[in-house]
């Protein structure tokens, strides 16, 4: 995985602002309509939060000491939202579809592989922390 390549690509895509998050959620809810009920009626705030979190994660890709606890916290919060391990691949698929769409001709096999690897790691850390939080509540 090449953090610099991901940062560069995210700067290109993230610079397109709210359209990106709107596209992502539209894709996700089309993929799995049942997920819509987990989110608030108005998605405006959520869209900002998602972009801010992604941007923070991307900025920390080469600082795992800071990134891992951030993802663990986020994972524990997601346990409270009712998010399950099986939801993560759906979100990953929508994220990659969104990045590919907004990257246009810049999109490449390497970017696809790097994003899949980065998302896979983030999802693993988040879902492990969520599962631990769930177990300690039981
Ligand atoms: C890398 C993956 C993910 C990131 C970076 C992420 C990021 C975020 C952030 C930043 C928030 C807002 C937390 C706050 O209010 O402070 C949030 C909330 C939420 N996320 Fe995620 N998320 C991820 C994966 C998922 C997955 C797999 C699902 C499953 C459907 C999901 C569903 C939700 C829900 C339901 C909320 C709460 C909405 C609300 O009630 O306001 N997220 N997420």
């Amino acid at each position: 995985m090449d953090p610099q390549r991901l940062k560069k690509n995210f700067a290109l895509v993230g610079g397109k602002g709210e359209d990106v998050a709107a596209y992502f959620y539209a894709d996700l809810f089309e993929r799995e309509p049942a997920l819509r009920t987990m989110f608030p009626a108005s998605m405006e705030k959520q869209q900002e939060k998602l972009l801010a979190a992604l941007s923070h994660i991307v900025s920390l890709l080469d600082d795992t000491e800071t990134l891992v606890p951030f993802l663990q916290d986020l994972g524990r919060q997601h346990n409270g939202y009712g998010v399950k391990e099986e939801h993560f691949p759906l979100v990953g698929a929508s994220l990659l579809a969104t990045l590919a769409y907004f990257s246009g001709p810049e999109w490449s096999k390497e970017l696809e592989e790097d994003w899949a690897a980065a998302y896979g790691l983030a999802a693993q850390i988040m879902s492990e922390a969520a599962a631990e939080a769930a177990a300690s509540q039981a």
Side-chain angles (χ1 to χ4, degrees), residues 38-40 46 49 53 77-78 81 83 87-88 91 119 126:
M38 295 172 74
F39 290 88
Q46 186 64 30
K49 286 179 185 174
Q77 281 180 46
H78 279 70
Y81 303 144
V83 174
H87 295 143
F88 280 92
V91 165
Y119 177 81
M126 282 177 67

Side-chain angles (χ1 to χ4, degrees), residues 3-129:
Q4 287 322 77
R5 185 159 52 204
L6 292 184
K7 285 181 189 183
K8 205 171 145 229
N9 181 239
F10 191 75
L12 167 82
V13 170
K16 304 194 172 169
E18 272 173 31
D19 281 2
V20 176
Y23 185 98
F24 164 81
Y25 284 112
D27 184 277
L28 181 65
F29 299 149
E30 199 177 313
R31 222 172 268 275
E32 190 52 71
L35 295 183
R36 180 65 185 95
T37 58
M38 295 172 74
F39 290 88
S42 165
M43 292 295 293
E44 229 165 274
K45 284 243 163 62
Q46 186 64 30
Q47 293 182 357
E48 282 168 25
K49 286 179 185 174
L50 176 80
L51 278 181
L54 285 177
S55 156
H56 191 59
I57 291 168
V58 170
S59 76
L60 293 176
L61 282 174
D62 35 28
D63 179 5
T64 44
E65 258 177 60
T66 315
L67 180 57
V68 170
F70 175 78
L71 290 171
Q72 287 169 331
D73 269 354
L74 201 55
R76 283 189 282 270
Q77 281 180 46
H78 279 70
N79 172 50
Y81 303 144
V83 174
K84 304 268 177 292
E85 205 177 329
E86 63 265 28
H87 295 143
F88 280 92
L90 295 165
V91 165
S94 289
L95 179 66
L96 261 77
T98 304
L99 292 163
Y101 177 80
F102 286 97
S103 297
E106 302 271 311
W107 192 243
S108 64
K109 189 92 204 122
E110 287 76 20
L111 276 171
E112 184 176 343
E113 285 168 4
D114 274 10
W115 275 117
Y119 177 81
L121 278 173
Q124 193 187 338
I125 295 168
M126 282 177 67
S127 53
E128 274 172 19

